[in-house]
Amino acid sequence: MTNYKFLIWFLFLVATAFVGVTYAGNFYQDFETTWGDNRAKILENGNLLTLSLDKASGSGFRSKNEYLFGKFDLKLKLVPGNSAGTVTTYYLSSLGSTHDEIDFEFLGNLSGDPYILHTNVFAQGKGNKEQQFYLWFDPTKDFHTYSILWNPQSIIFSVDGTPIREFKNLASKGVSFPKSQAMRMYSSLWNADDWATRGGLVKTDWTQAPFTASYRNFNAQACVWSSSSGSSCSSSKKSPSSSSSSSSSQSWLRESLDANGQAKIRWAQKNYMIYNYCTDTKRFPQGSPPECSFA
């Protein structure tokens, strides 16, 4: 798609969007459990969701809505204690062999060792864009907010409001970017002790099971996709009396990092990044992927 055509498409999206009234934040309304039987539980009148993993199975849930662009916040409290071998995921994804995907994955570890926060972006079925971080707090002691901003300009990963990574739309430079496939939000807790902890050297200690991760306060300002009517934009925190044409509720569609946001990314990457695909010369001996030149 040329820059001109992309601009026309984006302006059409904004001009025709209807800012509807939705009531997110309630897991009964916004999500459905997808596997794991009663290991996935919605509690506290829909305000808390928990996923559990035992030797027989993990568990997972997904959003009822599909989205084409959005700003998503979700509070997680990760598996405490010896979580080695476990993986907790929170991501957006479409379906099919050429799917798009935006990933947060939390790789468990031995008690006292830090979790690894793994991020990745897939476009048209191609990923291999991993960046990994340690966190500057214990993510098992309390709930922390993990956010994905996905708009036509970029994808921004944030932790408690601090941006840690940006993946820009460089389609004009020949870099694929998720921009045309609607995605659902998914989360799962599962066993991956063949690779998750120290390359699979540390196995899951099943005497610690069941392992449990907890979720609260889902918030989405997003374009909800319908196969029959296309895309409409909504805010999960709007009240019935809110204006249906509030431009401020669509500000995320144009949001980008200012100088302060860029400084926060540099801080996070300098102090807490432990892997960056852009600097992995063993994986990319012929040179880093093209988007790395524009980071």
Side-chain angles (χ1 to χ4, degrees):
M1 182 181 293
T2 66
N3 289 340
Y4 175 76
K5 289 181 179 179
F6 180 79
L7 177 62
I8 294 298
W9 169 83
F10 172 59
L11 292 174
F12 173 79
L13 172 68
V14 174
T16 59
F18 171 73
V19 183
V21 177
T22 62
Y23 297 96
N26 186 291
F27 287 106
Y28 280 123
Q29 177 169 327
D30 298 304
F31 293 91
E32 56 191 7
T33 58
T34 51
W35 63 288
D37 298 323
N38 62 353
R39 295 173 184 83
K41 298 179 180 180
I42 299 176
L43 307 166
E44 298 181 4
N45 297 317
N47 292 314
L48 174 69
L49 190 152
T50 63
L51 295 181
S52 292
L53 163 69
D54 57 33
K55 200 167 186 178
S57 177
S59 52
F61 66 89
R62 72 175 187 179
S63 64
K64 293 180 180 179
N65 287 325
E66 292 181 282
Y67 306 99
L68 187 61
F69 301 125
K71 187 175 185 178
F72 307 93
D73 302 315
L74 186 61
K75 287 185 177 291
L76 279 74
K77 183 164 68 173
L78 298 178
V79 174
N82 182 359
S83 59
T86 70
V87 174
T88 306
T89 67
Y90 154 41
Y91 62 102
L92 298 168
S93 184
S94 60
L95 299 176
S97 60
T98 58
H99 74 292
D100 294 340
E101 187 171 320
I102 304 169
D103 292 339
F104 273 121
E105 296 186 56
F106 304 87
L107 311 185
N109 219 325
L110 294 169
S111 301
D113 290 345
Y115 263 80
I116 292 176
L117 171 55
H118 175 99
T119 65
N120 201 358
V121 175
F122 286 75
Q124 293 296 307
K126 295 181 180 180
N128 298 325
K129 299 175 177 65
E130 303 92 342
Q131 290 184 355
Q132 295 182 337
F133 303 80
Y134 287 143
L135 295 166
W136 48 94
F137 52 83
D138 184 343
T140 73
K141 297 296 186 183
D142 203 352
F143 288 88
H144 292 268
T145 302
Y146 302 90
S147 305
I148 296 171
L149 170 64
W150 169 41
N151 65 25
Q153 294 80 243
S154 64
I155 295 163
I156 299 171
F157 298 82
S158 299
V159 178
D160 286 339
T162 297
I164 62 171
R165 177 180 184 181
E166 180 181 28
F167 185 81
K168 297 178 181 179
N169 183 350
L170 298 171
S172 62
K173 308 292 186 182
V175 178
S176 296
F177 183 85
K179 62 179 183 294
S180 59
Q181 299 187 68
M183 298 194 274
R184 294 183 191 268
M185 178 183 289
Y186 295 85
S187 186
S188 61
L189 173 58
W190 54 291
N191 179 47
D193 66 3
D194 57 331
W195 64 269
T197 306
R198 299 182 187 173
L201 294 177
V202 182
K203 302 301 182 182
T204 303
D205 180 0
W206 294 111
T207 66
Q208 304 297 311
F211 304 97
T212 301
S214 303
Y215 303 76
R216 288 190 184 276
N217 297 100
F218 171 68
N219 178 34
Q221 301 173 71
C223 297
V224 177
W225 176 262
S226 168
S227 58
S228 60
S229 59
S231 184
S232 64
C233 296
S234 61
S235 169
S236 66
K237 291 300 184 183
K238 294 184 72 62
S239 68
S241 61
S242 298
S243 168
S244 64
S245 61
S246 171
S247 60
S248 63
S249 66
Q250 294 184 5
S251 62
W252 60 269
L253 268 170
R254 302 174 298 278
E255 187 174 336
S256 60
L257 291 175
D258 58 14
N260 183 50
Q262 295 287 355
K264 288 180 178 180
I265 281 190
R266 290 193 296 271
W267 170 83
Q269 297 195 350
K270 177 182 178 181
N271 292 286
Y272 297 100
M273 179 184 282
I274 59 172
Y275 177 80
N276 183 1
Y277 76 107
C278 285
T279 60
D280 192 335
T281 56
K282 290 184 178 179
R283 285 181 67 191
F284 304 102
Q286 303 305 316
S288 59
E291 65 270 17
C292 297
S293 302
F294 300 95

